[in-house]
Amino acid sequence: MKKRFLLLSMAALALVGVMTTGCSSENDLTAESQETKLVTLTTTINLDGGAQTRSLDAAGHKTFANGDQISVIYKNTSGQTKPAGVQLDASDISNDGKTATISVTMNDPAENSQLRLIYPAIMTKTPIATDATINDANTIDYYYLQHSQNGYLGTLGDGFDLAVYDGTMNGDQLPASITLENKLAICAFTLKDDKGTPETTDDEDITSHITNLTVNDGTDTYTINRSAGVGPLYVAMKPVTAALTFTATDEDGQHYTKTLSSKSFAANNIYPIGMKMVKSYKTYSTLPVGTLLKLGDQIDLSTNVHINSVQWVETSKAPFTLVRANVVGETVTEAADGTHYVLKDKDGGFHLQENNFLVSEASDGLFVASYNQPNNSYVCCTHVNLAAIDISNLPTEGSYPDKKYYTAHTYDFLYGTLNGDVKLILPSGAAVWLGGMTHHAGEYVSGIECQGSATINLVEGTTNDLTRGNKYAYNGIDIKPGTLTIDGTGTLLASGGGNYAGIGGYGSYAHIVIDGGNITATGGYNAAGIGSDHDSGFGNITINGGNVTTTGGENAAGIGCGFCGGGNSSCGEITFNGGTVVVNAGANFGWGVGLQMGSMDNYSCGDIKFVGGNVTVNGDITTKSPQQIYVNGVSQGYYITASAQSPFVYPIPVTP
């Protein structure tokens, strides 16, 4: 007669869900009907009542479901190892899923021989050799555990949370009672992006964005793949005491790493673990338009890259690091002051295709890289913002004389936060992009020191803060002889310390041209918002576009001269060609544009020209004869009275 055995419930921690159905067909264990000594045996099967990792339903009970499989490994009278098994159907399940009755047919089982039960059956190795010893190595398949987990609680509960019974037959019968013991530990990982600060509020929770997690304990590797989702990443593992290495990848291809030393995970337990992970490299198939890389960034490429049918880089060389280099003929040398940007592979090799890693200006004002190969079959790294520099970690170059300094390079894309006492130098001829940087200048330094003619581009959507960090700071932007051009669509905030202009400096051969950007400039005490410092000169000031708001320091101009306290104060021509400009006079004896009326002996200023744009001046507009104030080419003399209560507005409103 057919005998049945009973599976009872257990009390344990919740792991509910459904196992992947695509794997079950490989583990269907059915009775061997071709043999002639078939017997059907009965027993009661118990799941460990103290288990910590088995699935629970809402009422706190482990429940069985239609399709659950259990395998039975035993020895027959010939000494052969044989598998048998059963799959539950709905009619087998009763008592709200807490119990089930199943039938297991065995082929000529030997009396008092070794017996093993494995649940769920997906963890059973197939096929099992007939001469196999009944142990973990020969009967349990960890492949799905290592490769098919998806990080969700439910999948673990029904698919991977291994429970095993090891014992012997009771004569020619199954033991009267069998208890399955849990063999795995469960970890519930919550991951954060380590910002490098002790304050946990600074560390962003990235768990829901992780699509891949790899855990390596030195012996086994577990790879978990899932869609971006919510909640911890649940991972079933063999019991272990070892150092663990973790790598994670988010939905955007960003990789993170972490190492935990000497961790112990015991079977039949669940461990909630929070980890701060450090960003490493990022994976790309190609580098799309707008990709922001900074020097030192590591990247991976998901495919091998061929140019003109010649392999350029291969995935086995990943990760690649973006470095600055000098290129002479076929020789590539990494150098801090190099003018090329190249990929260095993990073995230290450099990757250039005939040295044609060209840099040219893009329509969005950023520089892009391309390969000058007309017959490229595949081009990588096209249209990428190359030299993004995190100024929070600048490789400062020395003392000046007692301040560290960094000299920017053409194509630098500056972002991050810089310590206030570091000099940030923009050399003559350089063109840089400000992409969200902050430098609150400390004592005796400027936010940016421009050493000659150069260009600053303000990146769209970013705010760049060069407001002073100390009352003894110099200019927000200090301009030496030459012309500084500011352009772009981003935002710039600049202010000077006492006696120093927001944007300006010392010297009549220093000029500024503003072509674009959202700019707010504020002078320090006795200094112009845009123009000269206290008792100093400045050159021409030209505004062609952008949205500009400038305010003079106390006793100084919004645009033009700083206060003269016994020396001389001057500026060159001031021209408004375009943009929207609001000029505010400094407090106390400050004025709007030009120089201070009433003390002209020590002041001088060039022509002031209103040619285009929209300009509002909340303060007097003054130059020094024979220079003139021109509105649409027509002289208005050398003095126009204005104030915040009665501003000068250009274009001049038409009187009805």
Side-chain angles (χ1 to χ4, degrees), residues 66-82:
N66 184 26
D68 278 359
Q69 295 181 343
I70 302 170
S71 61
V72 179
I73 314 298
Y74 63 97
K75 291 284 188 176
N76 67 11
T77 56
S78 299
Q80 296 177 320
T81 301
K82 292 291 185 177

Side-chain angles (χ1 to χ4, degrees), residues 194-208:
D194 190 349
K195 301 295 186 181
T197 58
E199 296 82 5
T200 56
T201 54
D202 292 339
D203 300 315
E204 178 188 359
D205 193 316
I206 57 174
T207 310
S208 63

Side-chain angles (χ1 to χ4, degrees), residues 159 287 353 369 438 444 482 512 607 644:
L287 299 183
Q353 175 64 17
T438 297
Y444 317 129
I512 184 170
D607 292 335

Side-chain angles (χ1 to χ4, degrees), residues 389-394 415-420 436-440:
I389 306 296
D390 184 352
I391 64 173
S392 307
N393 301 296
L394 280 179
Y415 71 103
T417 300
L418 182 63
N419 181 281
M437 62 160 286
T438 297
H439 182 199
H440 296 307

